[in-house]
Amino acid sequence: MDVAHCYLEGNADAVEFCPHDGYQHVLAASTYTLQEVEQPIRAGSISLFDVNAEKCNLELFHRVDTAGIFDIKWSTVGSNVGPLLAQADADGYLRIYSLEGCSNEEKPRGGFLNEVCGEKISSSMCLFLDWNPTATSISVGLSDGSVSITTLAESKIEKLQEWKAHDFELWTTCFDIHQPQLVYTGSDDCKFCCWDMRDYPSSMVFQNSKVHKMGVCCIAKSPTDPNTILTGSYDEYLRVWDLRCISRPVNETSVCLGGGVWRIKHHPFVSGLVLAACMHSGFAIVKIGDEKPEVVEAYSQHGSLAYGADWQRAKLLPGGSTIVATCSFYDRLLRVWRPISDFCCI
C-alpha cells in the first residue's frame, strides 16, 4: 500500500532510514546526476524527510548540495556516538555528518546535518561504504578496484590501509558483523572475496570467481546467522552462501529476481526476510530459509532503475508489516510504502 511519494531534484540512488532511537522517522535520500558538458559535472544532494506513515505524510525538512553521491549509510546502532551519516561520492571524498535537532521529541527544525569531517581518500570515485559494528571504521569501495579502510577519531578521518582487491569497479564492501576483522568485497570482475585485516596488508581469506556470471553488486551478512551471507549480482540472482563452504551457494539455483540485484537489506526484526532492489525489475521482498529462497512480495510502482531500498526500524505495524522506502534513478522518484504481507506469518 502506497503511503507517500515525491520527486527529488536529481537522479535518486540511495535511501536510508535512520536506525537510532528517537530518529527512526528520519529518512535520508541521495542523488547522483551527471551533467554532460565539456568538463563533466557530477552533482548530488542529500535530502532529509520526516516520515509519518499513519498520516501518509512525507515532509522534506532539510537538503544539502554535494558532489554526485554513490552511497550513504547511517552509523550502526549500539556505538557510543549519536546518529552519523556517511557519504561516498564521485570526487573521491568520504564525508561524515552529524544529525541534530530532529528527534521525535523535537520539531523538524534546527541544525539537521552538520559536517563533522570530510577527507579526499582517493583520486578514484568512492562507490560504496559500510560502517563496522562499533562505528569506528568505514570500508570504502573504489572505482579502480581498491578497498580503503578508514577510521573516525576525534572528528577526523584517517586511512588505515588500502589495497587493490579487484580488477574493475568495486561495487560493494561489507564488514563481518560477527567477526569485524573480516571484510568482504564484490566487483565488476565477478569475484566475491573475503579479507583478514589483522594482517598488513590485509590477506585474502577466500575468493570465488566461478559462480557469479556478471558483476557482484551487493553483499549482506545475516545479522542472526554467523555462517550465512548473501550476494546480489547483475546476473539477476540473489545467492545464499554458507561461509563454512564457500565454493558454491547453499542453493545452487538460488533465486532469480528478474533484474540486476543492486541492494539487499535484511529486515530489522524478522529473521531471514530481505528487501532487494532489482534494477530493471522493481523491488522484491524475499524469504531466505532452509529451502530455496522465495519472493513473497514484489513492488513495481517505479518506472526506472530500482536502486535504493530500506526498511524503517520502527516496530511492526498492525497487520505485521514494516514501512519501506524505495527510490528509482532516472525518474528521480522516492516512494514510501507498506507491504501487504503479514510478516508475523512468514
Side-chain angles (χ1 to χ4, degrees):
M1 181 183 74
D2 290 325
V3 173
H5 73 276
C6 73
Y7 290 92
L8 303 179
E9 295 186 16
N11 299 332
D13 60 1
V15 290
E16 292 279 326
F17 274 109
C18 185
H20 293 263
D21 289 342
Y23 297 89
Q24 295 169 345
H25 62 295
V26 176
L27 174 67
S30 65
T31 66
Y32 170 95
T33 304
L34 177 62
Q35 301 173 15
E36 296 281 8
V37 292
E38 185 175 346
Q39 294 292 329
I41 299 174
R42 295 176 171 87
S45 65
I46 297 176
S47 298
L48 296 184
F49 295 88
D50 181 7
V51 176
N52 188 324
E54 293 181 357
K55 296 182 179 179
C56 295
N57 188 51
L58 177 66
E59 180 186 356
L60 173 68
F61 65 86
H62 184 66
R63 181 177 179 274
V64 57
D65 292 325
T66 66
I69 293 177
F70 283 100
D71 196 24
I72 53 173
K73 290 285 192 326
W74 293 103
S75 55
T76 46
V77 175
S79 57
N80 294 323
V81 297
L84 298 175
L85 184 66
Q87 160 194 325
D89 68 38
D91 287 350
Y93 274 84
L94 177 64
R95 298 188 186 276
I96 310 294
Y97 303 89
S98 63
L99 179 62
E100 301 175 3
C102 53
S103 69
N104 280 332
E105 291 75 29
E106 300 168 314
K107 296 290 184 180
R109 305 285 184 268
F112 309 134
L113 284 183
N114 292 321
E115 185 170 334
V116 175
C117 54
E119 189 73 27
K120 185 175 178 66
I121 64 169
S122 177
S123 58
S124 299
M125 295 185 290
C126 296
L127 303 180
F128 191 89
L129 68 91
D130 188 48
W131 292 85
N132 73 342
T134 57
T136 54
S137 292
I138 298 175
S139 61
V140 183
L142 303 176
S143 60
D144 68 353
S146 299
V147 59
S148 182
I149 307 298
T150 65
T151 184
L152 176 63
E154 298 181 353
S155 300
K156 184 178 180 181
I157 295 171
E158 295 183 357
K159 188 186 298 185
L160 295 178
Q161 57 175 308
E162 182 176 307
W163 67 94
K164 182 76 169 178
H166 293 270
D167 299 324
F168 303 115
E169 289 90 344
L170 199 156
W171 290 120
T172 184
T173 174
C174 171
F175 282 104
D176 189 314
I177 58 178
H178 303 100
Q179 301 180 81
Q181 76 276 9
L182 301 179
V183 64
Y184 303 95
T185 59
S187 165
D188 245 12
D189 61 10
C190 306
K191 296 175 182 177
F192 168 39
C193 302
C194 178
W195 309 84
D196 191 332
M197 295 182 296
R198 289 173 296 186
D199 297 328
Y200 189 87
S202 294
S203 60
M204 182 182 291
V205 178
F206 69 75
Q207 174 181 281
N208 185 291
S209 59
K210 298 180 179 180
V211 171
H212 300 96
K213 306 307 179 187
M214 300 178 72
V216 181
C217 306
C218 54
I219 302 170
K221 181 75 186 291
S222 168
T224 56
D225 184 350
N227 296 315
T228 298
I229 195 166
L230 310 180
T231 61
S233 170
Y234 284 127
D235 66 12
E236 303 184 354
Y237 280 87
L238 171 66
R239 292 179 170 87
V240 182
W241 300 79
D242 187 330
L243 289 170
R244 295 166 296 187
C245 180
I246 208 66
S247 61
R248 60 181 177 84
V250 173
N251 305 297
E252 289 188 41
T253 56
S254 296
V255 61
C256 181
L257 299 183
V261 185
W262 183 251
R263 287 291 180 268
I264 305 169
K265 295 291 184 69
H266 286 277
H267 193 282
F269 312 121
V270 183
S271 178
L273 196 67
V274 299
L275 174 65
C278 307
M279 298 184 73
H280 295 285
S281 190
F283 300 87
I285 297 173
V286 183
K287 176 62 178 177
I288 308 295
D290 296 331
E291 305 297 327
K292 178 179 178 179
E294 62 174 333
V295 176
V296 298
E297 187 168 336
Y299 185 77
S300 58
Q301 299 304 306
H302 288 263
S304 180
L305 286 174
Y307 268 174
D310 200 19
W311 308 94
Q312 190 176 35
R313 270 66 171 182
K315 62 182 180 180
L316 289 176
L317 299 170
S321 64
T322 303
I323 293 299
V324 169
T326 51
C327 70
S328 44
F329 194 67
Y330 292 113
D331 59 3
R332 305 182 173 189
L333 179 58
L334 167 66
R335 286 188 176 276
V336 176
W337 49 283
R338 175 177 174 173
I340 60 175
S341 304
D342 184 347
F343 298 153
C344 296
C345 299
I346 292 178

